[in-house]
Amino acid sequence: MVVGVGLIGASIGSALTARGWPVHLRDAKSSHARVAETLGSGSLTPPPVEHVDLVVVAVPPRALSVVVREALETYPNATVTDVGSVKAEVLATVWGHRDLHRYVGSHPMAGTQHSGPTGARGDLFADRTWVITPHRRSDPDAVRAVTALALACGARTVTMDVDDHDAAVARVSHLPHLMSVLTAGHLTTVGEQDLALAGPGLRDVTRIAGSDPGLWEQILTANATAVLAELQQVRDDLAALIGAIEQGAATPPDGHRDAAALRTRLARGVAGTRRIPGKHGAPSVAYRQVVIEIPDAPGALARLFADVDRAGVNVEDVTIDHDQNRQVGYLALSVEPGAAAGLSDLMTAQGWDVQP
């Protein structure tokens, strides 16, 4: 049973249905539920409550505790999990429930800036981390059931204490979202003439700021203590960065500016990017990008990928950006460093305009 079929709930339903699991759907918005059923996320036919052995609660944060409690009371034989991004608040709210042993929190570290069932994908959790957050009263069978759920969706599981989880997501999810929001919000004060110069870097930084403000207001207030601790650290870092730029910009009497502090700050950023795990949780790899100009025309993308396939090079990631003034795009193919030169030469030989 999946309760709440927005992006995450419908994606879970789609992943499980593809694996042959019988999935039943519920949502307060009947339109969402009908769309999710049409997309193959499960069935709207309600099952006998005693036959339900697992309930996944995927409702907005503000409703999580109420719906988790309701699920424990409605489905007497079911393990209940929720997939909210803040765990301690839910656990504290339902702690006194007589069937608490059947509840095990979890959190798939996956999603997009989109919301609703129309954005659902059965492969959304493939090779992504899914955190399991058991508590001291959790039944071992319930923990195994939630772990099996995550594995059936193609995820990799990690077990954490609820407080450790909330502190971690504040650092690697909630804080980055707020940094994106600040940058995107600043653009409301920027003139259109300046925005015409925007490139892929700005889009990369601001992409997640396009997420639902109502949902994020609930997430951030639920995890306020951990988020505020991170923001206070960023405030100190920002003050240090301002000082470093001021120091580098000042021209001393001898005319030799000292940019060492700024260089140190910039290098610290590079070091941070290298600590982000790579594919499948492996150490990060510094891929090279081969950037190819592609016309904005039907069939161009298919032809380009066919030529890449003939080159026999494994593409690790793909991004595309559009020229502001010409009817062309720029496709950036991330590949192993040793393969970049060969791919560039082969694509040039096929008639593509490979950017320096």
Side-chain angles (χ1 to χ4, degrees):
M1 172 66 72
V2 177
V3 182
V5 287
L7 172 70
I8 299 298
S11 294
I12 290 172
S14 296
L16 296 180
T17 300
R19 292 290 299 271
W21 288 36
V23 179
H24 300 270
L25 308 173
R26 276 179 46 197
D27 196 284
K29 293 183 178 179
S30 59
S31 59
H32 276 194
R34 287 194 300 270
V35 169
E37 182 182 46
T38 301
L39 295 175
S41 297
S43 169
L44 293 183
T45 303
V49 294
E50 65 273 12
H51 291 175
V52 176
D53 54 16
L54 177 65
V55 178
V56 181
V57 178
V59 300
R62 192 169 286 138
L64 275 175
S65 300
V66 171
V67 180
V68 166
R69 183 180 292 274
E70 177 195 68
L72 288 170
E73 294 170 356
T74 303
Y75 304 101
N77 301 319
T79 293
V80 177
T81 189
D82 75 284
V83 291
S85 61
V86 181
K87 312 313 306 178
E89 183 179 68
V90 177
L91 180 60
T93 303
V94 300
W95 184 254
H97 198 280
R98 64 183 182 279
D99 288 329
L100 183 68
H101 61 281
R102 292 193 284 115
Y103 166 72
V104 178
S106 70
H107 179 205
M109 300 297 295
T112 72
Q113 72 271 33
H114 305 296
S115 60
T118 55
R121 291 171 24 212
D123 64 349
L124 184 65
F125 312 102
D127 296 318
R128 303 298 293 271
T129 299
W130 193 311
V131 186
I132 314 295
T133 57
H135 50 86
R136 66 175 183 270
R137 291 169 58 188
S138 295
D139 188 300
D141 286 340
V143 177
R144 283 189 285 270
V146 177
T147 302
L149 161 71
L151 295 175
C153 290
R156 296 175 288 106
T157 61
V158 172
T159 300
M160 297 182 74
D161 172 79
V162 292
D163 292 324
D164 292 342
H165 165 274
D166 289 358
V169 294
R171 298 181 187 111
V172 303
S173 176
H174 303 168
L175 180 66
H177 183 85
L178 289 174
M179 297 300 99
S180 180
V181 166
L182 286 176
T183 302
H186 182 66
L187 297 180
T188 62
T189 68
V190 175
E192 290 187 9
Q193 200 170 24
D194 294 343
L195 290 173
L197 306 180
L202 183 63
R203 292 184 180 87
D204 288 346
V205 171
T206 59
R207 178 183 59 82
I208 58 175
S211 302
D212 180 6
L215 173 64
W216 273 94
E217 177 267 325
Q218 295 178 52
I219 292 170
L220 295 168
T221 53
N223 202 26
T225 300
V227 170
L228 284 170
E230 297 304 313
L231 286 173
Q232 287 158 1
Q233 179 63 56
V234 168
R235 179 182 59 194
D236 295 341
D237 287 342
L238 180 59
L241 178 59
I242 290 171
I245 293 176
E246 289 174 339
Q247 178 181 333
T251 303
D254 61 7
H256 293 91
R257 292 176 174 172
D258 180 10
L262 177 57
R263 193 178 308 113
T264 298
R265 286 278 154 185
L266 297 173
R268 186 168 178 251
V270 174
T273 64
R274 291 175 177 168
R275 297 198 65 201
I276 301 172
K279 290 173 59 177
H280 316 303
S284 177
V285 176
Y287 296 116
R288 291 284 300 279
Q289 284 195 332
V290 177
V291 180
I292 303 168
E293 182 179 301
I294 179 171
D296 188 3
L301 195 59
R303 184 167 62 87
L304 186 148
F305 278 120
D307 287 343
V308 172
D309 183 60
R310 281 191 286 272
V313 174
N314 186 48
V315 176
E316 304 292 342
D317 201 0
V318 176
T319 59
I320 189 167
D321 189 45
H322 299 279
D323 194 288
Q324 296 288 334
N325 302 305
R326 302 166 56 221
Q327 294 296 308
V328 299
Y330 300 97
L331 194 76
L333 306 175
S334 297
V335 299
E336 293 281 353
L343 177 61
S344 179
D345 291 344
L346 285 168
M347 297 304 288
T348 300
Q350 293 292 332
W352 294 100
D353 185 359
V354 180
Q355 302 297 296

